[in-house]
Amino acid sequence: MSAQKDRWVSSLVFLLFCASSIPRCGSASLQQEPSPQHYFSGLEAGKTSLAFFTPSVSPGAQPFLEQIESSAEALQDYGVSVVKVNCPKEDVSRYCGKENALRKAFLFRGNRLIREFPTDALFDVNSIVANVLFALLFNEVKYVETLADLENIENVLKGKSNMVFAYVPATGTAEHRAVMEAAFVYGTIHQFVLTTEAALLKATSLDDPDVSSAWLLFCHCQQATEPAQPCRRTALAQPLTLLNIHRHLKLMGAPLVTEVAEDPEKISTVHLQLGLPLVFILSQKETYEADRRTAEFVAWQLLGKAGVALLSRDLVELNVLHRSNVALKTPDEGMPIQYLVLEDTDEVITLVEDKNKVRQIQEDEQEEEEDEDEKENNNQDIQDDQVVEAVSRDKKRELPLEHILVLTEENFHSSLSEAARTVVLFYASWEAVSLAVLRSYSEVASHLKGTPGVLLSRVNCWDWPGLCSQENVTQFPTIRTYKEGQQSVTYGGMWGTEELSSFILLSQVPCPLKLATMDEAEGYLRGEFPPELSSHHHTSLLGVFSSATSEAREAFEEAGNILSGHVRMGMYSEDDALALSQKYSVSPPALLLARSGGRSVEGIALSQHSVQDMLQMIRYELLDIFPEITVPNLPQYLQLGKPFLILFSAGDISQVESKEMLKLAKGRPQQTFVACWLNLKKTPVGYGILRTYFSTTPPLPVLLWVNLHAGGQVFKFPSEQSITEMNILLWLEKLQAGLEIPSSTLSEEDWKPPLPAYDFLQMMEPSVPEPSPHPGDTPAQHPPKNPGRDTAGRDTAGGDTAAREEPSQESTAEEVGSPGRGLRGTAPRLAARDRQGKRHSEL
């Protein structure tokens, strides 16, 4: 119904414009009546007419007659006819007497006199139309003289209807006419109030208004639901013309914030149709409520100047930088949407008010990026580019985050008790490495969906830095597992889906797992116990201890706590432990190592009983004898500090080569080097390694000796010789004797990470605000009383104030310069953070 009314109002205003600007065939003109008797006898009930009575000959009436005749067409659009009544010489009645002739005009509805006007008040078309409509709308348009009168009307309207308050320096002006014409159209929707009192205008404004100019204020009384809550006022910034008033009222009737879930290029709102820009606040699901509060605050500041829309990144795929938090769409046809990174709402407002601001912001961002690029070394640029490229490449793929619980300061501790084990990803939503890990984490969540006893969750450390600081998380991304009554375990492995899934599954099981019977121990070695891990293939490590080996048992337990989530460890210390260990030719304390589902079990005696020695031994024994080198496991073998004898292959190596290399690895020389191989099909980075060793990639397979820890010399096994254990041993003897010339020598430069680890707490603001949620927070119908809330739902200006209260004019003025109106809640709003620390390019 309201939509139909809006269309009717718009159509009527359009017709009024046409009536006043387009010449028409048979347009209205001044009606002539030969006598008062003829005029009064022809009056119809409900019809309105403006009549003036004049003698047949009156030369002095010509200027007035021209103006009144010109107004006939304008008044006809409002159902008012203009009539000139000729008075006979002998008629000395009330209307035709000498004292009234051409000194007054009379407004009739039917045969009832509504108002009589002195003709000196009807000096032009504007004054005629304004005064006639003012008289017709006397009961609809309230005239006030004092602030008390205005406030009384406001109090009556609160929670019911809005008010249009107009000030004109004098009646009968063009501005007065525009207000009355607007009241004629919109009077059934809004309450119109008029004044000519300059003191009243000054009392309604914080500034010192120019009382020589007309003003119009739209008073939002319908949203003031409390008696003490004032009606917020939005002034018309343009001159008072009918077109501008119509435009202003249409804008005031539009939604404060429009929520959109489609391509911004396809969005068209009343603001764009009326030639105003549209500002998009980019949001995300986790911070929706806070983002909406930010959008509402911006919308109140820009009311009448621009529209504001809340655009969800979760529902719309945007091919823009992830750190972009504001977009601007102008009404100019063919102009692209500008996506920007702004630090606070003041910049958004300036963006609309200053048309040059968009270009300035873009130029500043470009200069900052160029300056920082010059400061970063080449390795940093390479790492940034590779990480961001990996994230950007898949940025349009929607992440299945519905299986991951979002944790905040309010629900963090309570959520930890909801499952037997809770896995928490601490990350930063703006940083590329975090986004890459979040993608792997979402795949893990889908893979482990429904796994009993496991709850996957995440904490955005930018939104909740206090929580991350409390948990002593100083670098991101960080993954930890929590179990009630136990110390949390931090993940320290690779960030791939397979590695993360393995860590989470292993974390379910105590490390070491204490076994009670011989059957459980045997089943554990076969990979059948515990049941939750029976379908996952891990090398099983079983510690066997007798009652006399308590020191070794305690060291083994401590090592298990450290390796929790990374290693499958069990412990057996029952009375028959000796029988179990002797079955594998060892005596307690001992390790039983079961590879490949228990098909082969190796017994290893424990001679060292310290925790560090135990850790070193376990890690070493878990390494494969002839491993395939991959990106995830390379660090484990580099830590051994030994030379590499590595076979590069374009695919799986042949059985003959594998057999010969395995014999070599198991022999006596295995204590001095690492025999391994690399499949270039599975690990393409091997091509880059070969190009570092040689100018071009040599024919494959190729066997190399590389001593990364001493001299960096690379030796190539003769390609004309077959790869056998004997040939390789003879070649190694020549290397030791110095009879072989290296193919290349690597640089002595240390191999360090291109970028230091992030300590995000040092990148935050000096003081981090605490959350101050209001229990009555609901989707806003009013502007936020405290616009200092960030979009994570916290009161950055301090205080426990209601976020939805309508601000008074005084509080609004005080808050204009207040801090804390940052855009931090919108998905990736970290322009300031980029300047404080070394940055990753952001998606």
PDB file of all heavy atoms in Angstrom, residues 387-406:
ATOM      1  N   VAL A 387      52.185 -16.116  -1.708  1.00  0.00           N
ATOM      2  CA  VAL A 387      51.094 -16.385  -0.780  1.00  0.00           C
ATOM      3  C   VAL A 387      49.809 -15.750  -1.286  1.00  0.00           C
ATOM      4  O   VAL A 387      48.754 -16.378  -1.325  1.00  0.00           O
ATOM      5  CB  VAL A 387      51.437 -15.864   0.631  1.00  0.00           C
ATOM      6  CG1 VAL A 387      50.246 -16.011   1.562  1.00  0.00           C
ATOM      7  CG2 VAL A 387      52.639 -16.604   1.187  1.00  0.00           C
ATOM      8  N   VAL A 388      49.893 -14.478  -1.670  1.00  0.00           N
ATOM      9  CA  VAL A 388      48.697 -13.783  -2.131  1.00  0.00           C
ATOM     10  C   VAL A 388      48.169 -14.413  -3.411  1.00  0.00           C
ATOM     11  O   VAL A 388      46.963 -14.548  -3.605  1.00  0.00           O
ATOM     12  CB  VAL A 388      48.998 -12.282  -2.341  1.00  0.00           C
ATOM     13  CG1 VAL A 388      47.777 -11.588  -2.935  1.00  0.00           C
ATOM     14  CG2 VAL A 388      49.369 -11.641  -1.023  1.00  0.00           C
ATOM     15  N   GLU A 389      49.068 -14.810  -4.293  1.00  0.00           N
ATOM     16  CA  GLU A 389      48.628 -15.446  -5.532  1.00  0.00           C
ATOM     17  C   GLU A 389      47.849 -16.720  -5.235  1.00  0.00           C
ATOM     18  O   GLU A 389      46.811 -16.995  -5.847  1.00  0.00           O
ATOM     19  CB  GLU A 389      49.835 -15.773  -6.420  1.00  0.00           C
ATOM     20  CG  GLU A 389      49.434 -16.441  -7.727  1.00  0.00           C
ATOM     21  CD  GLU A 389      50.637 -16.905  -8.523  1.00  0.00           C
ATOM     22  OE1 GLU A 389      51.764 -16.779  -8.021  1.00  0.00           O
ATOM     23  OE2 GLU A 389      50.443 -17.385  -9.637  1.00  0.00           O
ATOM     24  N   ALA A 390      48.339 -17.494  -4.271  1.00  0.00           N
ATOM     25  CA  ALA A 390      47.655 -18.744  -3.933  1.00  0.00           C
ATOM     26  C   ALA A 390      46.260 -18.470  -3.390  1.00  0.00           C
ATOM     27  O   ALA A 390      45.312 -19.184  -3.694  1.00  0.00           O
ATOM     28  CB  ALA A 390      48.474 -19.523  -2.903  1.00  0.00           C
ATOM     29  N   VAL A 391      46.129 -17.418  -2.581  1.00  0.00           N
ATOM     30  CA  VAL A 391      44.823 -17.070  -2.034  1.00  0.00           C
ATOM     31  C   VAL A 391      43.937 -16.456  -3.104  1.00  0.00           C
ATOM     32  O   VAL A 391      42.764 -16.796  -3.247  1.00  0.00           O
ATOM     33  CB  VAL A 391      44.992 -16.096  -0.838  1.00  0.00           C
ATOM     34  CG1 VAL A 391      43.634 -15.639  -0.343  1.00  0.00           C
ATOM     35  CG2 VAL A 391      45.761 -16.764   0.276  1.00  0.00           C
ATOM     36  N   SER A 392      44.499 -15.542  -3.885  1.00  0.00           N
ATOM     37  CA  SER A 392      43.724 -14.848  -4.896  1.00  0.00           C
ATOM     38  C   SER A 392      43.223 -15.778  -5.982  1.00  0.00           C
ATOM     39  O   SER A 392      42.146 -15.601  -6.536  1.00  0.00           O
ATOM     40  CB  SER A 392      44.573 -13.726  -5.515  1.00  0.00           C
ATOM     41  OG  SER A 392      43.852 -13.044  -6.511  1.00  0.00           O
ATOM     42  N   ARG A 393      44.017 -16.804  -6.266  1.00  0.00           N
ATOM     43  CA  ARG A 393      43.651 -17.722  -7.341  1.00  0.00           C
ATOM     44  C   ARG A 393      42.318 -18.409  -7.056  1.00  0.00           C
ATOM     45  O   ARG A 393      41.540 -18.684  -7.961  1.00  0.00           O
ATOM     46  CB  ARG A 393      44.755 -18.764  -7.517  1.00  0.00           C
ATOM     47  CG  ARG A 393      44.532 -19.688  -8.702  1.00  0.00           C
ATOM     48  CD  ARG A 393      45.761 -20.548  -8.943  1.00  0.00           C
ATOM     49  NE  ARG A 393      46.155 -21.296  -7.759  1.00  0.00           N
ATOM     50  CZ  ARG A 393      47.286 -21.114  -7.094  1.00  0.00           C
ATOM     51  NH1 ARG A 393      48.141 -20.180  -7.470  1.00  0.00           N
ATOM     52  NH2 ARG A 393      47.573 -21.844  -6.023  1.00  0.00           N
ATOM     53  N   ASP A 394      42.057 -18.701  -5.786  1.00  0.00           N
ATOM     54  CA  ASP A 394      40.840 -19.430  -5.426  1.00  0.00           C
ATOM     55  C   ASP A 394      39.850 -18.559  -4.659  1.00  0.00           C
ATOM     56  O   ASP A 394      38.957 -19.076  -3.977  1.00  0.00           O
ATOM     57  CB  ASP A 394      41.196 -20.643  -4.551  1.00  0.00           C
ATOM     58  CG  ASP A 394      42.046 -21.652  -5.306  1.00  0.00           C
ATOM     59  OD1 ASP A 394      41.883 -21.725  -6.525  1.00  0.00           O
ATOM     60  OD2 ASP A 394      42.857 -22.341  -4.669  1.00  0.00           O
ATOM     61  N   LYS A 395      39.982 -17.245  -4.764  1.00  0.00           N
ATOM     62  CA  LYS A 395      39.175 -16.382  -3.897  1.00  0.00           C
ATOM     63  C   LYS A 395      37.683 -16.439  -4.202  1.00  0.00           C
ATOM     64  O   LYS A 395      36.857 -16.117  -3.351  1.00  0.00           O
ATOM     65  CB  LYS A 395      39.666 -14.935  -4.017  1.00  0.00           C
ATOM     66  CG  LYS A 395      39.473 -14.327  -5.397  1.00  0.00           C
ATOM     67  CD  LYS A 395      40.091 -12.940  -5.444  1.00  0.00           C
ATOM     68  CE  LYS A 395      40.009 -12.352  -6.842  1.00  0.00           C
ATOM     69  NZ  LYS A 395      40.651 -11.048  -6.900  1.00  0.00           N
ATOM     70  N   LYS A 396      37.318 -16.861  -5.417  1.00  0.00           N
ATOM     71  CA  LYS A 396      35.902 -16.929  -5.749  1.00  0.00           C
ATOM     72  C   LYS A 396      35.247 -18.200  -5.241  1.00  0.00           C
ATOM     73  O   LYS A 396      34.032 -18.330  -5.291  1.00  0.00           O
ATOM     74  CB  LYS A 396      35.715 -16.817  -7.263  1.00  0.00           C
ATOM     75  CG  LYS A 396      36.072 -15.450  -7.814  1.00  0.00           C
ATOM     76  CD  LYS A 396      35.725 -15.340  -9.292  1.00  0.00           C
ATOM     77  CE  LYS A 396      36.030 -13.939  -9.811  1.00  0.00           C
ATOM     78  NZ  LYS A 396      35.683 -13.804 -11.232  1.00  0.00           N
ATOM     79  N   ARG A 397      36.052 -19.133  -4.771  1.00  0.00           N
ATOM     80  CA  ARG A 397      35.493 -20.383  -4.260  1.00  0.00           C
ATOM     81  C   ARG A 397      34.985 -20.168  -2.848  1.00  0.00           C
ATOM     82  O   ARG A 397      35.714 -19.740  -1.972  1.00  0.00           O
ATOM     83  CB  ARG A 397      36.560 -21.467  -4.269  1.00  0.00           C
ATOM     84  CG  ARG A 397      35.987 -22.864  -4.018  1.00  0.00           C
ATOM     85  CD  ARG A 397      37.090 -23.894  -4.072  1.00  0.00           C
ATOM     86  NE  ARG A 397      37.914 -23.834  -2.883  1.00  0.00           N
ATOM     87  CZ  ARG A 397      39.038 -24.513  -2.736  1.00  0.00           C
ATOM     88  NH1 ARG A 397      39.495 -25.255  -3.714  1.00  0.00           N
ATOM     89  NH2 ARG A 397      39.739 -24.445  -1.619  1.00  0.00           N
ATOM     90  N   GLU A 398      33.709 -20.443  -2.653  1.00  0.00           N
ATOM     91  CA  GLU A 398      33.108 -20.223  -1.344  1.00  0.00           C
ATOM     92  C   GLU A 398      33.602 -21.267  -0.353  1.00  0.00           C
ATOM     93  O   GLU A 398      33.606 -22.463  -0.635  1.00  0.00           O
ATOM     94  CB  GLU A 398      31.587 -20.284  -1.458  1.00  0.00           C
ATOM     95  CG  GLU A 398      30.882 -19.968  -0.167  1.00  0.00           C
ATOM     96  CD  GLU A 398      29.381 -19.929  -0.339  1.00  0.00           C
ATOM     97  OE1 GLU A 398      28.929 -20.055  -1.498  1.00  0.00           O
ATOM     98  OE2 GLU A 398      28.677 -19.795   0.662  1.00  0.00           O
ATOM     99  N   LEU A 399      34.010 -20.804   0.808  1.00  0.00           N
ATOM    100  CA  LEU A 399      34.525 -21.713   1.828  1.00  0.00           C
ATOM    101  C   LEU A 399      33.372 -22.294   2.646  1.00  0.00           C
ATOM    102  O   LEU A 399      32.476 -21.569   3.068  1.00  0.00           O
ATOM    103  CB  LEU A 399      35.486 -20.971   2.767  1.00  0.00           C
ATOM    104  CG  LEU A 399      36.734 -20.377   2.130  1.00  0.00           C
ATOM    105  CD1 LEU A 399      37.579 -19.693   3.194  1.00  0.00           C
ATOM    106  CD2 LEU A 399      37.543 -21.425   1.413  1.00  0.00           C
ATOM    107  N   PRO A 400      33.387 -23.597   2.900  1.00  0.00           N
ATOM    108  CA  PRO A 400      32.335 -24.207   3.733  1.00  0.00           C
ATOM    109  C   PRO A 400      32.596 -23.974   5.209  1.00  0.00           C
ATOM    110  O   PRO A 400      32.965 -24.882   5.960  1.00  0.00           O
ATOM    111  CB  PRO A 400      32.431 -25.696   3.357  1.00  0.00           C
ATOM    112  CG  PRO A 400      33.861 -25.905   2.984  1.00  0.00           C
ATOM    113  CD  PRO A 400      34.323 -24.611   2.355  1.00  0.00           C
ATOM    114  N   LEU A 401      32.424 -22.751   5.650  1.00  0.00           N
ATOM    115  CA  LEU A 401      32.753 -22.395   7.032  1.00  0.00           C
ATOM    116  C   LEU A 401      31.621 -22.703   8.000  1.00  0.00           C
ATOM    117  O   LEU A 401      31.752 -22.426   9.200  1.00  0.00           O
ATOM    118  CB  LEU A 401      33.095 -20.901   7.107  1.00  0.00           C
ATOM    119  CG  LEU A 401      34.294 -20.446   6.267  1.00  0.00           C
ATOM    120  CD1 LEU A 401      34.483 -18.944   6.397  1.00  0.00           C
ATOM    121  CD2 LEU A 401      35.558 -21.181   6.681  1.00  0.00           C
ATOM    122  N   GLU A 402      30.507 -23.251   7.495  1.00  0.00           N
ATOM    123  CA  GLU A 402      29.392 -23.507   8.392  1.00  0.00           C
ATOM    124  C   GLU A 402      29.701 -24.596   9.414  1.00  0.00           C
ATOM    125  O   GLU A 402      29.023 -24.721  10.431  1.00  0.00           O
ATOM    126  CB  GLU A 402      28.149 -23.906   7.588  1.00  0.00           C
ATOM    127  CG  GLU A 402      28.277 -25.203   6.793  1.00  0.00           C
ATOM    128  CD  GLU A 402      28.887 -24.984   5.414  1.00  0.00           C
ATOM    129  OE1 GLU A 402      29.367 -23.858   5.156  1.00  0.00           O
ATOM    130  OE2 GLU A 402      28.893 -25.924   4.611  1.00  0.00           O
ATOM    131  N   HIS A 403      30.741 -25.401   9.159  1.00  0.00           N
ATOM    132  CA  HIS A 403      31.111 -26.461  10.105  1.00  0.00           C
ATOM    133  C   HIS A 403      32.132 -25.981  11.137  1.00  0.00           C
ATOM    134  O   HIS A 403      32.612 -26.788  11.938  1.00  0.00           O
ATOM    135  CB  HIS A 403      31.689 -27.660   9.351  1.00  0.00           C
ATOM    136  CG  HIS A 403      30.783 -28.210   8.300  1.00  0.00           C
ATOM    137  ND1 HIS A 403      29.493 -28.600   8.568  1.00  0.00           N
ATOM    138  CD2 HIS A 403      30.968 -28.409   6.969  1.00  0.00           C
ATOM    139  CE1 HIS A 403      28.930 -29.038   7.447  1.00  0.00           C
ATOM    140  NE2 HIS A 403      29.795 -28.925   6.470  1.00  0.00           N
ATOM    141  N   ILE A 404      32.469 -24.702  11.092  1.00  0.00           N
ATOM    142  CA  ILE A 404      33.470 -24.155  12.007  1.00  0.00           C
ATOM    143  C   ILE A 404      32.790 -23.133  12.912  1.00  0.00           C
ATOM    144  O   ILE A 404      32.213 -22.155  12.431  1.00  0.00           O
ATOM    145  CB  ILE A 404      34.635 -23.502  11.235  1.00  0.00           C
ATOM    146  CG1 ILE A 404      35.274 -24.512  10.272  1.00  0.00           C
ATOM    147  CG2 ILE A 404      35.676 -22.967  12.196  1.00  0.00           C
ATOM    148  CD1 ILE A 404      36.328 -23.906   9.382  1.00  0.00           C
ATOM    149  N   LEU A 405      32.850 -23.339  14.213  1.00  0.00           N
ATOM    150  CA  LEU A 405      32.215 -22.443  15.179  1.00  0.00           C
ATOM    151  C   LEU A 405      33.039 -21.168  15.329  1.00  0.00           C
ATOM    152  O   LEU A 405      34.255 -21.216  15.497  1.00  0.00           O
ATOM    153  CB  LEU A 405      32.086 -23.149  16.531  1.00  0.00           C
ATOM    154  CG  LEU A 405      31.474 -22.324  17.671  1.00  0.00           C
ATOM    155  CD1 LEU A 405      30.020 -22.005  17.365  1.00  0.00           C
ATOM    156  CD2 LEU A 405      31.586 -23.079  18.998  1.00  0.00           C
ATOM    157  N   VAL A 406      32.370 -20.024  15.269  1.00  0.00           N
ATOM    158  CA  VAL A 406      33.028 -18.732  15.466  1.00  0.00           C
ATOM    159  C   VAL A 406      33.063 -18.423  16.958  1.00  0.00           C
ATOM    160  O   VAL A 406      32.015 -18.400  17.628  1.00  0.00           O
ATOM    161  CB  VAL A 406      32.282 -17.616  14.705  1.00  0.00           C
ATOM    162  CG1 VAL A 406      32.944 -16.262  14.978  1.00  0.00           C
ATOM    163  CG2 VAL A 406      32.281 -17.911  13.216  1.00  0.00           C
TER     164      VAL A 406
END
